[in-house]
Structure formats: C-alpha cells, structure tokens
Amino acid sequence: LEGTSNILQGAVFYKTSTSWGAASAASAGSAAYGFLGVSKGGNMVDGFVTRGIVYVATDPGGNVGDLVYLSTTNNRLTTTAPSADGNVVRVMGHKLGTNLVYFNPSTNWVELTV
C-alpha cells in the first residue's frame, strides 16, 4: 500500500517492513498481532494514530465503555470478540461513542483453537 491514495480514513492498518497493510483478526500473523494504527486521512502520507482517541470509519457496535477488538473484517474494529478457529482475539481499546474509540492496542493476543 506504500504511497497509496484513496484509502479509507479511520481504518485500521498494520505496519509492514516497507508500508502499511490491511489489519485483520481472521488469522494469526502480522496483520493481527503486529504494530497497528488508524489512518488519519485518505492517503498514506496523512499518517496513522498508534494510540489515542480516534474516529473510526465504521462504528464497532456495542455500547460506550465496551471493549473493542480487532475485527475479522479487514481494517475494522468490533465490540464482538472473534470466535472462529484460527481467529486472533486482541483487545484494541474501548468504545467512547458512535465511531469514537480509545485506540490502545494490547500487546497480548490469543489465537483460537475451537
């Protein structure tokens, strides 16, 4: 995605060796447990928020105060923990309001075997 424009502002990405890629909890790997950030604008050069209060493109659901997890849908967060075999459960912070999240990715994660 290096140098890519027209990305979705408020989407979750992981840091690759040369750029940023779509984060997802669908399976174990850097996309699920690597260094994560939320895009600040519609271009990679706009930067990423790696910790703090962020406006996310898609509301994660749930209620204010709920834990927020990395979603199995690319670039999204959810208040429902992933539950399928091979998914990664990683707490990403807390919901503060509609589309508003305290983004503070945990360094701990679990790969599910169900």
Side-chain angles (χ1 to χ4, degrees), residues 35-76:
F35 184 73
L36 302 179
V38 176
S39 57
K40 290 173 52 178
N43 294 291
M44 289 291 181
V45 295
D46 292 333
F48 296 84
V49 176
T50 57
R51 185 181 336 171
I53 297 171
V54 296
Y55 182 84
V56 292
T58 304
D59 187 71
N63 298 303
V64 170
D66 285 352
L67 285 173
V68 176
Y69 303 90
L70 185 61
S71 176
T72 55
T73 301
N74 284 352
N75 304 103
R76 292 196 181 162

Side-chain angles (χ1 to χ4, degrees), residues 2-3 7 12 17 25-26 32-34 36 39 44-45 48 51 56 60 73 83 93 96 98 112:
E2 190 169 7
I7 63 170
V12 183
S17 61
Y33 55 71
L36 302 179
S39 57
M44 289 291 181
V45 295
F48 296 84
R51 185 181 336 171
V56 292
T73 301
S83 59
L96 299 178
T98 303
L112 298 177

Side-chain angles (χ1 to χ4, degrees), residues 4-114:
T4 301
S5 59
N6 299 320
I7 63 170
L8 184 61
Q9 181 179 4
V12 183
F13 291 87
Y14 77 99
K15 183 70 177 107
T16 70
S17 61
T18 59
S19 186
W20 292 83
S24 170
S27 62
S30 294
Y33 55 71
F35 184 73
L36 302 179
V38 176
S39 57
K40 290 173 52 178
N43 294 291
M44 289 291 181
V45 295
D46 292 333
F48 296 84
V49 176
T50 57
R51 185 181 336 171
I53 297 171
V54 296
Y55 182 84
V56 292
T58 304
D59 187 71
N63 298 303
V64 170
D66 285 352
L67 285 173
V68 176
Y69 303 90
L70 185 61
S71 176
T72 55
T73 301
N74 284 352
N75 304 103
R76 292 196 181 162
L77 300 175
T78 180
T79 55
T80 303
S83 59
D85 189 59
N87 286 173
V88 171
V89 178
R90 183 174 178 186
V91 173
M92 304 303 289
H94 290 84
K95 181 171 179 164
L96 299 178
T98 303
N99 293 72
L100 196 62
V101 171
Y102 172 57
F103 186 74
N104 186 21
S106 173
T107 57
N108 300 312
W109 53 273
V110 175
E111 181 180 1
L112 298 177
T113 302
V114 292

